[in-house]
Each structure stands twice: as C-alpha cells, then as structure tokens.
Amino acid sequence: MDFFTQQDRARRNTRYLVVLFGLALALIVILVNALVTAFLWVGRDYNIYAGGSGWEGYLALFSWERFGVIGLAVLSTVGFVSLVRWLQLASGGKAVAESLGGRRVLRQSADPYEKRCLNIVEELSLAANMPVPALYVLPDERGINAFAAGVNPADAVVAVTRGAALQLNRNELQGVVAHEFSHILNGDMRLGIRLASLLKGITFIGDVGHFLLRMGAYGVGRSNRRSESSAALPIVGLGLMVIGWLGSLAAGFIKAAISRQKEYLADASAVQFTRDNSGIADALKVIGGFVPGSLVHSARAPEMSHIFFGEVRHRLWEGFATHPPLEQRIRRLDKDWDGQYLQRAEVRYGTEPLSENDVQTGVGRAALVAAAMASAGLADSEGTRDQASSDATFSTDEDVADSRIRDESDADALPQTLHDSVLEPLGATAMALTLVTAQRESQPLEAALAVLRSKGARGQLELVTDLLPQVRGLHPGQRFPLMATAMPALKSLSTPQYREFKTTLLSVIQSDGRIDLFEWCLFQLLRHYLDPEFLRVENSRPRYRHIAKVRAPLRQVLSVLAHQGEGDSARAFALACEELGLSGLTLAPLEECSVAEFSRGVHTLADCYPLLKPRILKAMALAAADDGEVCPVERELVIAVAAVMDCPLPPEFALG
C-alpha cells in the first residue's frame, strides 16, 4: 500500500470539497431572495404595483438592488455567527474537550488505564517532534472513540473515551492516538473548527426562521386584529426554517465528505508514524465487534462529529456519515482481512488490572518509533520515498526491539531519572534552566547561577545544581525531546509563575552577554508552545505571497543552517535554493551569520502565506540531510523555525 500517494490524493480532494461550501452559501442567498420576492408577490398591494400575476408578476418584483442587499445581509449574518463560534472554539483544544464532557488527566492520576494513555501520548509526541499535548478522558462514554482539538499544535489536546482506554490494548490504543496526532500535524484541527463554525452560521438561518414562526404564533394568540404582515410572519419563518434546513443539509453533506477524506489521510499517516498497520486496524475491528461501537452520547457530539476517530451517531443515510465505513477503512489498512470483527468482552474498571509493564512509561518505545521515522525520512530525502513506502514491512514490538539492539544505541532513550524529574512544574522549570547553563563553564556558568541567587529561587538553584552533571551527560539530540516531555508540567503553571519563569530564563540566557543558537532555539520553542496558555498572543499576519519577496531572510536562514552540518555548506545551500526555485543567491560567510540576523530572518519568514511555509521547511530539511545525517544542531534549528513559523514539520524530517 502506497500511503504517501493516498495522503496526496486525500489532500487534493479536500481542496475541491471546500469550494462546495461557498456554493452552498450562494444557494442560500438565492433561496432567501426567492422567499422575500414571493412574500412581496403574495401581498395585495405589491400585486397591484407589479401590474400582473403569475410568473410575470413574480419576476417583475425582482430587483438586483434588493438581491444585493439581501445577499449582503445573509452573508453578514452567517459570517458574524460563524466568527462568534470560531472565537469560542479557537480559544484552544481545552475548551472543546471540556464542552464535550472531558476531564484532564494529570500525571498524578492513580488510574492505570489513564497512565497508560498518558505514556502513549508522550511516546508519540517524541516521535512526532512536538510537545506533549494535554490528555483528556470522556469518563461517561462507553463507546470506543477519541479526538484531537485545537487550532495549532501549541494549544492541541488529545481526548479518549473511557471505552477506548478500557477496551483497547496498548498497540491498538497507540494506533488510535497516532491517528489523532496525524490530525494535529496535518492541520486538520483548524479545518475542523472552521467547518463547525461555518455550519453554525448556516444553521442560524433556520434558527431565525424558528424564532419568527414562534413570534407569529404568539402574535396570533395575543391579538385578534393582527395585520397582514404579522399574519405572514409565520410563513416567512417557515420559509427560513426550510432554507436553513436545506443549507444545513448541504453543509452537513459537504462536511461529511471532507471529514471522510481526512480520516483516510489520518489512517495512512498513523501507519507512517508507528510503522505498524496492525494497531489501528485492530482498533477498528474491535469497534466493529463492540456493542456500543464508537457512539458518543454528549449533547455537543453531533456538532463536532467530524473531529472524532469514529462515527458518533448512527446514520440513516451513509451520505451524511462523517467517517468512511469501517469495512473500507480496515481493508485499506489490512488487505488480507477476513471480514471478521474482533469480539471482546467489555472490560469494567478494576476487574482486570493492567500489568506493571503495560503501565510503564514508553520512552524507549518512543525512541524506536522515532528511529523508524528517521530512517524513512532519510530514504525520502534521497529520492526513494515511493520505494520505501511500497517495500515497508510492518513489524511487531519485538521486531522493532530487535532492530533497536542491532542499529541504535541505548543512549537514544531518555534517562529515566531525568524523564521523571520533568513531570512536575518545579522540575520542568529547573530542567529548562539547566539545559541553558549546562553548556557553560567557569565564569559564564557562575553568572547564570548568580541570576538564580538574585531571583531568590533557592529551590530552583538547588535543583539546577543537582541536575547539571546528568544533563551534561546527555546526547545533544536528547535535549529537545526532554523539553517536549516537560511541556504538560510547564502548562500547569499559574500565569504569575509562568511570567516569572520566562523572565528568569531570559535573564539566565543573557547573563553571559551573548545568545547562541541552542539558547535561541530553546527559548523560541518554549515561547511558542507556552505563551498561548498564559498570555494574549498576536499571531503573525500573512504578508509575503511569493518566495522572491523573502530572498534576503531566506539567504540568512539557509546560510546559518548550511554552516551547521558536517558536509559541504555550499552544496547544502544550493540544494535548498534549488528546491525553492531561487537563483542567484550565494551562501553568506560564517562571520555574517549572527544569531540576531538569523532571528530577524525567521520572524520575517513567519509572515509568509501558509502555502509557502511548508516549502521553506522542506527546503531546510533537504539542506540538513544533504550529508546523509541530520546533526542535533540542524534538527533543533528546523524544529525551532517550524515553531516560530507556526507550521508542522515536513514528513521527510523526523526526530532520530
């Protein structure tokens, strides 16, 4: 199965389907105009004014001026309601999860099933090059389901139903969570919120009609001498209800079609993440053989049905299903499926406790997944992407473990003591400070510790001192994964605590009078993923539509990246320029590649239009892999630039 071809096809079809929403909105404008004209036509005075009856009299009342006014009113109403709904949903994945009855799972949870889910989310975060999103559980839902919500990876959350946590084994649950991570990295969450917002705007027309219908009925009951206009109010209300129903029917059909394409894409991407098709395929088979299936009973579930892993309601007609049929999804993942679902007795909490090994954190497993992704990414960069995907075999955990022993060093896994130290806020903040100070010796180190003393942060100072020897023993490639693991604890800080932490970190970075690339990358990564939790953030605005408009900042950024590798800097720079279609650019000398200029260049690139950003990151990934190996500094640069640009990393670039 060529998963990459399937992903490209799904993306292309989705673009076509989005256009249909605009057509549905245009149809609503036409229908509302037809309704208003009909209302005028049936009025006695307007019939006399028209000078005719039948179609001639009806058409005589048509006015382009009125058509424009009504069209503007309809579009403004739909736009305003959609904007209000967008602002509600765009406040972060937390708001969506809580509106659906979700409860946040904390690291201190004593529930072994919740701890297992936390560990899986952590593993896949490391493999996907992104900070660990908050995990929510829907405690009252027996059905097997899950969803990811948020506008971007910075405010994303992953949620699972209680049924999914209990009924699925570790491999199956990992496939489901990988599916949701695919939605995060493919940008599906933003599209899902837009669809929900627009659908609310369209259905609002029907709500207005319902209101007018009730007002007309109320007027009839209160007055025996009502005017003809008030008598016609229920008719207008009924007409608007019908139009709203037709609009929501069209919008629901298009939403379902878009969602189905995204589900195929996420299924394929989940296999790409885990390098194993059995997990997600078996999870779908369990849903098919489970009596509650994937049903979700939350009142808001139908509105957000397109963000879930499985169908949340029974559908009378498959055309309105937001997910493809289970059979089709399974056969795309497992072509040898015998058509039999997995029958599994329902697990009740506390009746079958998990083994200690099943609950243990899977940092080592995350390294295995990351290593598999890295090898796939390297093959892609060498032009063998299609061959790699078609020849890939899907391994069991034992197979992957064996390859890990053969091909990778045990140093790839995070030390357990350091991993555990960042699971609570004080340890997480101390780790960020330690990563900065661990690069220093003698006077620069003393200057950093002096900042902590001056801040009165005695507890942090002691932790930093204790952590220094262990952090200095880390492989450079382990620094960012460690901070990714610390993100949930950092997000649990209060706003004053976060402000103080950010100020202290910046003071420590600046204490030696200079900022190196790692310090810049670390600070930008933390700022990007944490600021939206505590501060009002002003997002970048698209300003540059063409690559030619950002030649100067691209030269600076690509030059800095090219100088970090161990291969030929000029060749890496030229490869990136060729990918972007740039000619005439020359590699900047190393002495001109300052961190300040690099920072300004990256923030300028953040103002590019959305379609340009993936191209730029892909070019950076190709330059980084030019010598056949992505060094830790190159990896950190690309990850930090992707964070500042608010753009997912290219699939060719993986954390190895």
Side-chain angles (χ1 to χ4, degrees), residues 92-105:
K94 173 183 176 182
V96 177
E98 291 180 349
S99 70
L100 290 166
R103 169 178 57 80
R104 184 164 185 174
V105 178

Side-chain angles (χ1 to χ4, degrees), residues 551-564:
R551 287 173 62 91
L554 271 175
R555 176 177 182 262
Q556 189 67 33
V557 172
L558 293 177
S559 295
V560 171
L561 178 64
H563 283 302
Q564 305 309 312

